[in-house]
Amino acid sequence: MKDLLKLMQKRQSVRLPFDTKHPITKDDLLQILEAGRWAPTAHNMQNFELIVIDDEELLESIEDIKRPVSETFVRENYLQLSFSEEELLKKKSGVLAAMFPPSWRNPDFRLDISDEKADLSMQRPIQGCPVMLVIVYDPARRAPASEGDFLGILSLGCVMENMWLMANSLGISFHIVSSLSSGAVGKEVKNILHIPGNLDIAFSCRLGYPISAPAEYLRVRRDIKDFASHNKFGSKDLE
Ligand SMILES: Cc1cc2nc3c(=O)[nH]c(=O)nc-3n(C[C@H](O)[C@H](O)[C@H](O)COP(=O)(O)O)c2cc1C
């Protein structure tokens, strides 16, 4: 059990390029899918399908999709930023501003839609990888009486985490790329992969082995007492 906790604590997002010439073995891939297969889902609906992409041309066409950033994204992202490690350690949630382009570190960010170049300079490339997974679901098939299919969507998160932990346990890095899920970008991904129109993309992820060792980066979490109450909300005597 200690090993399980260690695996969870060590699981991390790896945003580096992965070695496109270092494939993921079929056995490893099947273990990752097996982990997704056994994820809990509301009413055991197993409300997902997934596409494994290992064809170089397909991967390239997905990497090449223009993913202009939206003003809403940058403004809401700003709310999660810390501008120093000290600040992040104090906040215990969110991410370091240094992870993002300088123009995103401005609370008054405005997207100049008349300037296509400026728009694209905000786009962060999708780094290469030998395998991507695209997980799709049918938003019309909600979990019983679940408003907005909240329970169905939670279930997709369980699939994500199961696969992520399995991948990491096999020494395979994992990186979620949310910007491929919706809007014009999502449509293009759906076209490239022949995904039926009634399905939505829940999430996509890159799998692989980083070209260089991932740099240590500061990962913070709130303390247990910050989020856990004992018997009544706000009663903080658990630690
Ligand atoms: C639903 C979801 C969506 C995410 N989308 C992205 C994403 O688009 N790009 C990215 O680099 N990381 C993405 N992440 C990773 C989170 O930023 C990351 O898990 C968080 O900052 C904690 O860092 P860690 O994974 O290294 O522990 C996503 C994670 C989740 C659970």
Side-chain angles (χ1 to χ4, degrees):
M1 282 305 142
K2 271 195 179 144
D3 288 349
L4 180 58
L5 183 59
K6 274 221 169 72
L7 179 65
M8 289 169 173
Q9 288 167 331
K10 285 185 77 174
R11 181 216 50 77
Q12 69 174 86
S13 300
V14 179
R15 302 181 174 91
L16 298 169
F18 299 156
D19 186 350
T20 52
K21 303 289 172 226
H22 188 161
I24 289 176
T25 64
K26 189 149 186 212
D27 272 4
D28 282 354
L29 178 66
L30 289 177
Q31 285 217 64
I32 293 167
L33 301 189
E34 184 70 10
R37 176 176 173 236
W38 282 101
T41 54
H43 291 257
N44 194 23
M45 284 175 69
Q46 302 171 50
N47 56 335
F48 63 96
E49 308 275 331
L50 64 79
I51 302 130
V52 175
I53 308 146
D54 59 4
D55 177 275
E56 262 179 56
E57 267 181 40
L58 280 178
L59 286 168
E60 267 170 32
S61 16
I62 292 175
E63 282 159 24
D64 286 348
I65 298 176
K66 291 196 171 103
R67 296 173 304 132
V69 72
S70 75
E71 206 167 275
T72 308
F73 176 85
V74 177
R75 282 164 171 266
E76 293 181 6
N77 185 57
Y78 182 83
L79 302 175
Q80 304 307 327
L81 301 185
S82 283
F83 290 84
S84 66
E85 293 204 340
E86 293 67 40
E87 188 185 344
L88 186 60
L89 281 167
K90 206 162 149 209
K91 276 195 194 160
K92 296 184 270 187
S93 69
V95 286
L96 272 176
M99 280 172 56
F100 299 99
S103 54
W104 292 25
R105 304 176 207 161
N106 170 5
D108 300 319
F109 176 83
R110 292 264 187 292
L111 192 61
D112 181 358
I113 44 173
S114 62
D115 181 354
E116 201 191 320
K117 265 202 206 120
D119 182 19
L120 290 180
S121 70
M122 305 293 165
Q123 181 186 327
R124 293 192 300 166
I126 299 185
Q127 314 276 16
C129 61
V131 171
M132 275 190 99
L133 304 179
V134 172
I135 289 72
V136 298
Y137 71 108
D138 181 351
R141 231 188 111 203
R142 71 172 188 173
S146 174
E147 211 169 303
D149 197 26
F150 183 70
L151 298 176
I153 305 224
L154 269 183
S155 307
L156 298 168
C158 297
V159 176
M160 175 194 283
E161 180 71 350
N162 268 23
M163 295 198 297
W164 199 334
L165 288 171
M166 179 54 78
N168 281 188
S169 79
L170 297 167
I172 296 169
S173 293
F174 196 101
H175 175 211
I176 308 283
V177 187
S178 299
S179 55
L180 295 174
S181 298
S182 52
V185 179
K187 264 196 194 133
E188 218 170 318
V189 176
K190 282 171 67 170
N191 274 342
I192 293 171
L193 301 176
H194 301 268
I195 296 172
N198 64 316
L199 301 182
D200 280 354
I201 298 176
F203 63 93
S204 308
C205 51
R206 299 162 58 236
L207 298 180
Y209 302 89
I211 285 173
S212 52
E216 291 281 321
Y217 72 97
L218 179 62
R219 298 175 62 239
V220 293
R221 291 299 190 264
R222 292 176 299 157
D223 298 325
I224 291 173
K225 66 174 164 25
D226 294 332
F227 60 81
S229 297
H230 191 195
N231 291 324
K232 73 173 189 253
F233 191 86
S235 166
K236 301 280 183 182
D237 61 4
L238 279 171
E239 254 186 349

